[in-house]
Amino acid sequence: MNKPACFVAQVDLSLAFKLEEDLKNQGFEVSKPQYTLFQAKKKGISCTLYESGKLTVQGKDKDDFISFYLEPEILGSLTYSYPDVNQDKTPHIGVDEAGKGDVFGPLCIGAVFADEEGISELSKLGVRDSKRMTDPTILKLAEQIRKKFSYALVKIFPQKYNELYDKFHNLNSLLGWGHATAIEDVLKKSPCQKVTIDKFASEHVVASALQRKGIEVELTQRHKGEEDIVVAAASIIARAAFVEGIEKLSEEFQLQLPKGASPAVIQAGRQFVAKHGRALLPRIAKMHFKTLEEIQAIH
């Protein structure tokens, strides 16, 4: 799990002597810079306790020190090791998508169900917003989530995506249908009526899509939805599917397809057209992107 470079906490000053003695016993070298009660250092960890009671911990080995000593012995809190304490522990389904802003590759929508025990497990696995993780980490986490949790995945490759976009005439309507389909699929495995999604449009978009399917749930739509750990798990499922999908297309057409909508996408698109022709672009690209105009305007 990606932790901040510097951990900061407030320490009860009545525990300062115990903390200092414990650190000495753990092999820390202790000094007393100005405005501090003490500073303790050993290889990989540096701790500074200020006169105000503020404690800072830095260094590459700080995580185990915080988890196995500082939190249980001094702080009496596990919010660093298991930051799910502020999470909604009510059993619910989380939904999120990936690939919406990418010219190449599939649109993927994931849905995950977790109960109270599952939410704690997600936290221990290190689940958080997929946008804050590298793709290799996402792929590993997605594998664990798929093994341990009820989930659903709607993966729409560009050829099908373009057909659906022509049908819906609107990306949000397509997304609403995709979210409703993922919710419908996971409800078959885990009948839970509480659903949280990352809000991407007016609230009626997903609500109407669910209504058309005859699905009644308690739907919460929130900005920064990935702050909910179950939504974050869904974002990981979706992102992993997108990464695997764009790699599959890259292998199929023997051309590395970049993510996003950057100038590198235009360059790759032009290489694709030169190699395979414009007619095959809908196999790899979401054709409503304006980037496609630049890709195709080459001859």
Side-chain angles (χ1 to χ4, degrees):
M1 188 171 181
N2 187 26
K3 302 288 190 181
C6 179
F7 172 77
V8 181
Q10 194 68 25
V11 171
D12 182 343
L13 289 177
S14 68
L15 295 172
F17 179 76
K18 170 181 165 53
L19 176 59
E20 183 177 357
E21 291 302 304
D22 285 352
L23 295 183
K24 288 177 181 176
N25 291 334
Q26 291 176 35
F28 284 77
E29 293 287 335
V30 175
S31 61
K32 297 187 186 296
Q34 192 175 12
Y35 307 120
T36 73
L37 292 179
F38 64 85
Q39 187 173 72
K41 292 184 178 181
K42 73 174 182 179
K43 187 177 180 182
I45 312 172
S46 173
C47 305
T48 304
L49 181 62
Y50 294 89
E51 292 171 349
S52 64
K54 184 177 85 169
L55 176 73
T56 63
V57 184
Q58 302 178 72
K60 63 183 179 63
D61 296 330
K62 72 180 187 307
D63 288 357
D64 284 350
F65 169 76
I66 294 168
S67 296
F68 296 118
Y69 166 70
L70 191 61
E71 284 191 323
E73 294 290 330
I74 302 296
L75 301 179
S77 161
L78 298 178
T79 54
Y80 180 84
S81 304
Y82 303 117
D84 68 325
V85 292
N86 296 319
Q87 287 288 339
D88 176 7
K89 297 289 190 69
T90 310
H92 62 286
I93 295 166
V95 190
D96 202 7
E97 49 73 25
K100 177 177 70 174
D102 298 84
V103 174
F104 300 134
L107 173 68
C108 301
I109 299 154
V112 173
F113 167 74
D115 56 14
E116 183 174 354
E117 184 179 345
I119 288 166
S120 294
E121 177 66 19
L122 288 173
S123 181
K124 291 174 186 177
L125 287 173
V127 168
R128 62 194 183 283
D129 182 2
S130 63
K131 290 189 284 293
R132 296 167 54 200
M133 289 186 282
T134 62
D135 286 341
T137 300
I138 287 167
L139 292 170
K140 289 177 185 175
L141 269 177
E143 186 177 1
Q144 294 183 71
I145 294 167
R146 289 192 297 260
K147 284 179 182 176
K148 297 180 178 182
F149 293 86
S150 293
Y151 76 96
L153 175 67
V154 176
K155 186 190 292 190
I156 310 168
F157 276 93
Q159 192 158 8
K160 183 65 176 177
Y161 176 99
N162 292 317
E163 292 174 15
L164 288 170
Y165 189 88
D166 288 342
K167 174 185 173 184
F168 286 107
H169 304 294
N170 179 279
L171 177 55
N172 285 338
S173 296
L174 196 164
L175 279 167
W177 170 84
H179 277 65
T181 301
I183 292 166
E184 180 181 41
D185 289 349
V186 84
L187 281 172
K188 294 172 184 174
K189 306 169 189 175
S190 298
C192 170
Q193 297 309 111
K194 187 172 181 182
V195 179
T196 300
I197 72 170
D198 184 37
K199 187 175 182 181
F200 61 87
S202 298
E203 294 198 355
H204 70 85
V205 173
V206 175
S208 297
L210 288 166
Q211 192 174 29
R212 283 191 289 272
K213 288 178 173 288
I215 297 171
E216 292 185 14
V217 293
E218 180 188 335
L219 181 64
T220 300
Q221 305 186 50
R222 55 183 284 191
H223 294 293
K224 297 185 179 178
E226 302 92 339
E227 290 176 358
D228 179 289
I229 201 165
V230 188
V231 176
S235 80
I236 289 169
I237 292 287
R239 179 68 183 180
F242 168 76
V243 170
E244 291 163 352
I246 199 169
E247 285 303 316
K248 179 181 177 182
L249 290 171
S250 296
E251 291 172 14
E252 181 180 349
F253 291 99
Q254 294 297 295
L255 177 67
Q256 190 60 47
L257 299 173
K259 304 176 185 77
S262 68
V265 167
I266 297 171
Q267 184 180 357
R270 289 176 174 175
Q271 290 174 346
F272 181 90
V273 170
K275 187 174 181 180
H276 300 287
R278 287 186 179 89
L280 289 185
L281 268 175
R283 293 277 303 278
I284 64 162
K286 303 176 181 78
M287 298 301 290
H288 63 86
F289 274 77
K290 289 187 178 178
T291 308
L292 269 295
E293 296 174 12
E294 296 183 61
I295 289 173
Q296 295 181 88
I298 55 175
H299 295 302

